[in-house]
Amino acid sequence: QASPPEEKIKTLDKAGVLHRTKTVDKGKRLRKKNWSASWTVLEGGILTFFKDSKTSTAGGLRQPSKLSTPEYTVELKGASLAWAPKDKSSKKNVLELRSRDGSEYLIQHDSEAIISTWHKAIAQGIQELSAD
Ligand code: I3S
């Protein structure tokens, strides 16, 4: 393939507000879901969920860590993504992301169009990073 991996990954960068909850922490299922709206950034093969949804988009893609505290960071290398089965949540448009370290997250947006672009970007990120 012509372009080096770092260039391919760059094109996947994405940011926005999503609903998310962590369901498993390194193999240990968490007792309770805690859905919250979160500013979410996909950059350099890492998905970062910030503590709140208030972070402005200005500069958010470039230097998100300066703007707010990350709550969860998920390395896409070795991760897997699927549409969550119905028994995982009553919400619509829910994605389930499993990280290589055995943690799981549900990611949701009411807009099917928006969640679909995240699905595509995360899935492509996983694929690019697992290719070599
Ligand atoms: O898996 P659960 O228990 O049906 O998840 C629901 C709970 O986390 C609930 O919180 P409370 O137990 O404090 O009511 C949330 O409000 C619901 O959103 C969760 O279910 P959904 O189906 O929305 O993921």
Side-chain angles (χ1 to χ4, degrees):
Q1 297 218 337
S3 53
E6 58 280 9
E7 263 177 42
K8 283 188 285 184
I9 290 159
K10 241 185 202 170
T11 63
L12 302 172
D13 286 359
K14 194 169 170 50
V17 174
L18 292 174
H19 292 102
R20 48 77 176 166
T21 180
K22 191 173 189 176
T23 54
V24 178
D25 182 52
K26 293 174 186 151
K28 185 170 178 271
R29 182 155 293 276
L30 301 172
R31 276 218 203 92
K32 203 175 161 332
K33 277 188 236 161
N34 191 12
W35 284 104
S36 65
S38 168
W39 177 246
T40 307
V41 173
L42 176 61
E43 183 177 43
I46 294 173
L47 187 69
T48 304
F49 297 107
F50 289 87
K51 283 214 169 99
D52 58 67
S53 61
K54 304 264 174 358
T55 306
S56 122
T57 52
L61 259 177
R62 288 295 110 212
Q63 291 181 299
S65 59
K66 291 210 172 138
L67 296 168
S68 142
T69 317
E71 184 160 24
Y72 307 125
T73 59
V74 186
E75 268 186 63
L76 294 191
K77 193 177 172 77
S80 64
L81 181 76
W83 292 103
K86 288 282 170 227
D87 63 336
K88 292 286 177 88
S89 176
S90 61
K91 297 184 195 304
K92 62 177 179 178
N93 306 329
V94 182
L95 291 170
E96 186 172 52
L97 178 65
R98 295 167 193 237
S99 63
R100 193 171 41 165
D101 72 356
S103 296
E104 297 183 17
Y105 305 84
L106 297 178
I107 302 167
Q108 190 268 349
H109 197 289
D110 282 346
S111 159
E112 196 180 337
I114 290 171
I115 200 71
S116 293
T117 64
W118 280 97
H119 179 254
K120 205 175 289 176
I122 295 168
Q124 282 180 17
I126 290 170
Q127 209 181 13
E128 303 282 356
L129 286 160
S130 307
D132 42 35

